[in-house]
């Protein structure tokens, strides 16, 4: 039982991670292409176009992740707050904040949801706009401020301890172990401090005396990343599969390693693959006494080869190949054994599954609780037992309903009137469930009960199939309102 | 906000109207005349009525534009027309109170929610139909629920 619960939790977590990254892969690829082409060491160096590189990776990509993360949790509203809160971690640190965005986005969305749950049903009709904008604005401002202040120290201390770790490893000659720190640090963008602050200076010293240094290869080996992307090309699903080849070209030939980070971020277990790949690559380098004459930048296979001293080509190429092969093997095993967990769950279906899981679990624990059947008369005191344990959107009980939403075509008239009436009824019965109104085209994901005019119900069902749908003929005076109030009363 | 959402000039009592189209054109016409919407909005109101009836029950209909008609809305406003003889709003629904809505943001929701709560009581419907002055209507709808 506990195992099953944990499994479900991990699944949900996994589908959230990929849900944050996947929709934005296009932006990552765009950034990768621009970077590979136009940076000074790129294929078509262009100073103007290269100015895109930095803002895109520092602002655009984390903001997209933060927005998507917030949106996953709490629709557009969560997205807006998530992106704004993410701005705090972006400005507060000087490295690209993917991880920070992946934390702040959903967290901010979740907090917004909590705040709304506290207040939403207490807002008088007509003041929703005012409340919506200001509550989101205030929360977002606070979160952005906190994350700005908090993230700098965290990043600094992380970087320092990682650098210290690498230093110990290098000094003791245990180079392959350095990958355990370097590979995860790359994904978190903490690699530059290690590479340029520690490895490069040491490497330059070694190169000055020996003509080459292996330290230049530790972080720049494109093999581990290539292995992961190749694994996605073969064992991935959906967007991750179809985008992997392009990403592999950008990464391996273009030397823009960052392009594979999102693939690892959406499946953190893949860290094992890049660590394994990195370690075996370094081990090969050590064994064959490989080295480079300077730091290759960007870390493309071409740059590596250009900086390889005479007679070392075999060693360098072999190290890259070994790293890619090992990383590919581990990543393939991970992708194959866990592919039922997420991957193919594109954002929408993933969330649906998740909600279903939640529902049936809740229904299971609370088993034979009284619930009114669909045909029960609102006025009768005879309640039907059990009944509602299916995961189909049948009749929902109070604990399964986060929000009742009235919907009409424009969200302008009828739905607003209906919502006011039901809100009034709920207030009289002390029912603590928010009632709002909207246009059908904008039905929010957390609407567990949707009320529409009978002519529009089919459209609403199409838009939000997992919700319970109530059809009314008369918005002003529907027996359904009383039925619903009776059913949801505590 | 430049204009009150509901003002005395937006209310017309005991208007002799006989068809649904006439009723919608009249209700929308008030919104046009008082500068809440441009003339194109009225056609959008008819179009919306064709999609699904705006008859709400309790002798009340709330004609308004389609979702894309929000571009035709200059200011948020509502108009109130009473037709004690009643108009057939389709499917045998007889509307006696027509409330035309032009919503820009959600500024009209407060008053709309008052209208909903007021009109959900049958006795208030009678009060509205028997009203002799626009002020009575204003008072009824502005009462805090």
């Amino acid at each position: 039982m506990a195992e099953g619960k944990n499994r479900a939790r991990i699944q949900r977590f996994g589908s959230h991670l990929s849900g944050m990254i996947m929709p934005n892969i296009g932006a990552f690829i765009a950034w990768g292409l621009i970077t590979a082409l136009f940076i000074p060491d790129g294929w078509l160096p262009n100073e103007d176009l290269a100015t895109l590189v930095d803002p895109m990776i520092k602002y655009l990509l984390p903001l997209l992740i933060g927005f998507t993360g917030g949106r996953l949790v709490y629709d557009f509203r969560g997205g807006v707050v998530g992106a704004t809160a993410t701005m705090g971690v972006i400005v507060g640190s000087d490295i690209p904040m993917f991880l920070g965005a992946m934390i702040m986005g959903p967290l901010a969305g979740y907090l917004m949801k909590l705040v709304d749950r506290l207040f939403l049903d207490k807002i008088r009709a007509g003041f929703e706009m005012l409340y919506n904008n200001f509550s989101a604005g205030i929360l977002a401002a606070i979160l952005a401020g906190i994350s700005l202040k908090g993230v700098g120290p965290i990043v600094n201390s992380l970087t320092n301890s990682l650098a210290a770790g690498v230093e110990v490893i290098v000094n003791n000659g245990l180079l392959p172990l350095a990958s355990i720190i370097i590979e995860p640090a790359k994904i978190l963008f903490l690699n530059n401090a290690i590479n340029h602050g520690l490895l490069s200076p040491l490497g330059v010293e070694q190169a000055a005396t020996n003509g080459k240094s292996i330290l230049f290869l530790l972080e720049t080996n494109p093999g581990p990343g290539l292995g992961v992307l190749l694994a996605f090309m073969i064992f991935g699903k959906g967007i991750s599969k179809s985008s992997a080849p392009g990403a592999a070209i950008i990464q391996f030939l273009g030397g823009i390693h960052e392009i594979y980070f999102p693939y690892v971020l959406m499946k953190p277990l893949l860290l094992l693959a890049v660590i394994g790949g990195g370690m075996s690559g370094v081990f090969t380098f050590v064994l064959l006494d490989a080295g480079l004459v300077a730091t290759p930048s960007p870390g493309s296979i071409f740059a590596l080869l250009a900086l390889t001293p005479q007679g070392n080509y075999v060693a360098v190429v072999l190290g890259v190949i070994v790293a890619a092969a090992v990383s590919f093997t581990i990543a393939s095993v991970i992708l194959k054994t866990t592919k039922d967990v997420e991957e193919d769950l594109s954002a929408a279906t993933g969330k649906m599954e998740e909600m279903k899981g939640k529902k049936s679990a809740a229904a299971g624990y609370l088993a034979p609780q009284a619930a009114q059947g669909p045909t029960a008369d609102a006025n009768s005191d005879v309640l039907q037992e059990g009944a509602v344990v299916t995961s189909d959107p049948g009749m929902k009980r109070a604990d399964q309903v986060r929000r009742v939403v009235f919907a009409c075509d424009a969200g302008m008239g009828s739905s607003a009137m209906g919502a006011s009436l039901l809100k009034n009824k709920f207030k009289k019965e002390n029912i603590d469930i928010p009632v709002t109104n909207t246009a059908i085209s904008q039905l929010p994901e957390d609407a567990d009960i949707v009320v529409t005019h009978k002519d529009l119900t089919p459209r609403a069902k199409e838009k939000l199939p997992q919700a319970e749908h109530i059809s009314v003929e008369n918005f002003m005076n529907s027996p359904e309102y009383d039925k619903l109030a009776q059913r949801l009363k505590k | 906000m430049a204009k009150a959402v509901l003002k005395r000039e937006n209310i017309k009592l005991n208007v002799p109207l006989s068809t649904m189209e006439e009723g919608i054109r009249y209700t929308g016409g008030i919104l046009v005349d008082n500068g809440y919407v441009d003339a194109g909005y009225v056609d959008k109101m008819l179009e919306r009525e064709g999609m699904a009836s705006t008859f709400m029950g309790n002798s009340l209909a709330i004609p308004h534009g389609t979702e894309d008609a929000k571009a035709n809305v200059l200011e948020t406003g509502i108009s109130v027309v009473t037709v004690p003889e009643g108009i057939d709003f389709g499917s045998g629904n007889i509307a006696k109170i027509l409330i035309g809505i032009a919503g820009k943001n959600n500024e009209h929701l407060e008053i709309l929610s008052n209208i909903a709560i007021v009109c959900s009581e049958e006795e208030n419907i009678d009060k509205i139909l028997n009203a002799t002055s626009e002020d009575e209507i204003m008072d009824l709808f502005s009462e805090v629920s």
Side-chain angles (χ1 to χ4, degrees):
Chain A
M1 191 75 205
E3 234 169 71
K5 254 170 84 180
N6 281 335
R7 190 182 157 77
R9 204 168 292 156
I10 291 167
Q11 283 180 3
R12 198 169 308 148
F13 184 65
S15 77
H16 259 123
L17 290 184
S18 62
M20 273 190 265
I21 303 288
M22 287 274 224
N24 300 314
I25 289 282
F28 279 95
I29 302 265
W31 173 85
L33 285 174
I34 288 172
T35 308
L37 290 176
F38 302 128
I39 57 173
D41 298 313
W43 294 332
L44 300 167
N46 181 316
E47 211 172 304
D48 280 344
L49 291 170
T51 54
L52 282 168
V53 170
D54 202 43
M56 276 178 86
I57 194 160
K58 270 194 169 162
Y59 293 91
L60 176 71
L61 298 178
L63 284 176
L64 282 172
I65 294 174
F67 179 83
T68 315
R71 193 185 157 182
L72 273 181
V73 177
Y74 198 44
D75 214 355
F76 260 82
R77 193 163 159 72
V80 169
V81 179
T84 314
T86 300
M87 204 60 204
V89 290
I90 293 175
V91 176
S93 76
D94 37 20
I95 57 170
M97 261 295 155
F98 288 8
L99 189 74
M102 291 173 80
I103 296 170
M104 283 320 291
L107 179 69
Y110 180 68
L111 291 175
M112 188 73 252
K113 197 170 173 176
L114 288 188
V115 170
D116 277 357
R117 199 171 290 166
L118 271 179
F119 294 112
L120 203 60
D121 54 329
K122 299 183 180 68
I123 309 301
R124 280 183 48 199
F127 284 88
E128 284 95 345
M129 282 288 267
L130 194 69
Y131 165 78
N132 280 346
N133 290 334
F134 274 86
S135 58
I138 292 167
L139 180 68
I142 292 173
L143 290 176
I146 291 176
S147 39
L148 173 85
K149 288 286 179 195
V151 71
I154 295 176
V155 169
N156 280 340
S157 63
L158 244 177
T159 309
N160 289 339
S161 47
L162 290 180
V166 174
E167 193 165 10
V168 169
I169 289 168
V170 172
N171 288 343
N172 288 296
L174 302 168
L175 285 180
L177 295 181
S179 294
I180 296 177
I181 295 177
I182 291 175
E183 295 299 334
K186 276 177 84 167
I187 309 290
L188 300 180
F189 290 94
L190 296 172
N191 55 323
N192 271 347
I194 298 171
N195 201 27
H196 297 304
L198 186 73
L199 296 177
S200 289
L202 285 177
V204 170
E205 255 173 58
Q206 289 186 359
T209 49
N210 303 335
K212 64 178 183 182
S213 168
I214 190 174
L215 297 178
F216 294 133
L217 282 165
L218 296 189
E219 192 259 352
T220 54
N221 183 356
L226 179 68
V228 167
L229 291 173
L230 289 176
F232 267 103
M233 276 167 68
I234 297 171
F235 299 110
K237 283 231 171 104
I239 308 175
S240 62
K241 184 187 178 97
S242 53
S243 61
I249 290 173
I250 294 170
Q251 189 260 349
F252 191 67
L253 305 182
I256 311 304
H257 289 208
E258 287 86 341
I259 204 77
Y260 78 78
F261 296 178
Y263 295 84
V264 177
L265 282 171
M266 67 191 171
K267 215 173 182 68
L269 216 52
L270 290 173
L271 277 175
L272 294 178
V274 285
I275 291 174
M279 282 174 74
S280 44
V282 176
F283 190 68
T284 312
F285 291 142
V286 173
L287 220 59
L288 300 178
D289 192 29
L292 298 182
V293 295
T295 288
S297 172
S300 99
I301 187 67
F302 300 128
L304 255 72
L305 292 178
L307 294 172
T308 304
Q310 280 300 325
N312 235 303
Y313 286 106
V314 176
V316 168
V317 171
L318 218 57
V320 174
I321 292 175
V322 167
V326 170
S327 159
F328 171 77
T329 310
I330 301 176
S332 302
V333 171
I334 293 173
L335 286 180
K336 269 184 96 168
T337 52
T338 60
K339 75 178 163 198
D340 56 325
V341 173
E342 43 115 10
E343 275 310 315
D344 48 336
L345 307 183
S346 70
T349 55
K351 257 198 290 184
M352 245 179 71
E353 284 302 318
E354 180 198 325
M355 270 192 257
K356 271 190 191 161
K358 226 181 282 167
K359 262 175 239 152
S360 43
Y365 300 139
L366 302 164
Q369 198 196 39
Q372 240 176 322
T375 52
D377 181 356
N379 299 323
S380 96
D381 289 323
V382 188
L383 297 177
Q384 288 177 315
E385 284 290 315
V388 208
V389 242
T390 63
S391 60
D392 284 334
M395 305 269 288
K396 292 184 179 173
R397 291 187 314 270
D399 58 306
Q400 298 171 318
V401 179
R402 285 167 294 175
R403 186 134 70 116
V404 179
V405 177
F406 278 70
C408 60
D409 178 60
M412 196 194 281
S414 19
S415 64
M417 300 192 97
S420 311
L421 291 176
L422 189 66
K423 203 186 272 188
N424 212 27
K425 279 221 158 67
F426 275 15
K427 207 156 73 186
K428 281 183 195 150
E429 302 282 2
N430 279 321
I431 298 172
D432 196 21
I433 297 172
V435 182
T436 54
N437 74 292
T438 177
I440 287 180
S441 62
Q442 284 157 20
L443 269 172
E445 289 282 341
D446 68 340
D448 291 312
I449 296 184
V450 176
V451 187
T452 42
H453 188 265
K454 65 176 184 359
D455 297 347
L456 294 173
T457 307
R459 253 177 75 196
K461 273 189 179 154
E462 199 176 297
K463 169 80 179 140
L464 210 62
Q466 73 272 29
E468 175 186 348
H469 288 266
I470 294 179
S471 229
V472 298
E473 202 158 335
N474 180 338
F475 265 121
M476 292 307 296
N477 189 3
S478 172
E480 295 291 339
Y481 299 164
D482 286 316
K483 276 191 208 168
L484 193 58
Q486 288 300 318
R487 168 148 65 98
L488 298 179
K489 202 160 70 172
K490 274 165 200 152
Chain B
M1 228 172 298
K3 219 172 265 189
V5 175
L6 176 63
K7 50 183 183 176
R8 290 187 78 239
E9 296 79 65
N10 299 2
I11 303 173
K12 303 284 179 204
L13 300 178
N14 305 316
V15 185
L17 298 165
S18 48
T19 69
M20 184 168 81
E21 181 171 348
E22 225 182 311
I24 292 173
R25 286 204 180 280
Y26 187 87
T27 313
I30 299 174
L31 295 172
V32 177
D33 292 344
N34 292 334
Y36 292 101
V37 296
D38 65 30
Y41 191 74
V42 180
D43 291 324
K44 292 288 183 184
M45 290 170 83
L46 288 166
E47 186 186 322
R48 169 66 179 78
E49 203 62 42
M51 290 163 61
S53 173
T54 60
F55 183 79
M56 305 285 294
N58 284 16
S59 308
L60 175 71
I62 53 161
H64 56 266
T66 53
E67 190 168 11
D68 60 344
K70 286 184 180 172
N72 300 78
V73 180
L74 311 171
E75 303 255 5
T76 295
I78 64 170
S79 59
V80 179
V81 178
T82 65
V83 189
E85 292 76 30
I87 300 177
D88 187 348
F89 250 68
S91 325
N93 294 322
I94 304 297
K96 296 181 178 174
I97 303 171
L98 306 182
I99 299 197
I101 302 171
K104 203 171 174 64
N105 298 315
N106 284 331
E107 301 152 3
H108 63 298
L109 289 183
E110 188 181 17
I111 189 135
L112 198 62
S113 120
N114 284 350
I115 292 175
I117 291 164
V118 170
C119 292
S120 65
E121 307 282 343
E122 302 269 359
E123 57 181 82
N124 287 332
I125 299 285
D126 293 338
K127 269 193 208 164
I128 294 168
L129 290 175
N130 294 326
T132 49
S133 78
E134 289 82 1
D135 286 330
E136 273 175 63
I137 306 278
M138 293 285 284
D139 289 346
L140 258 174
F141 285 163
S142 56
E143 258 170 35
V144 183
S145 44

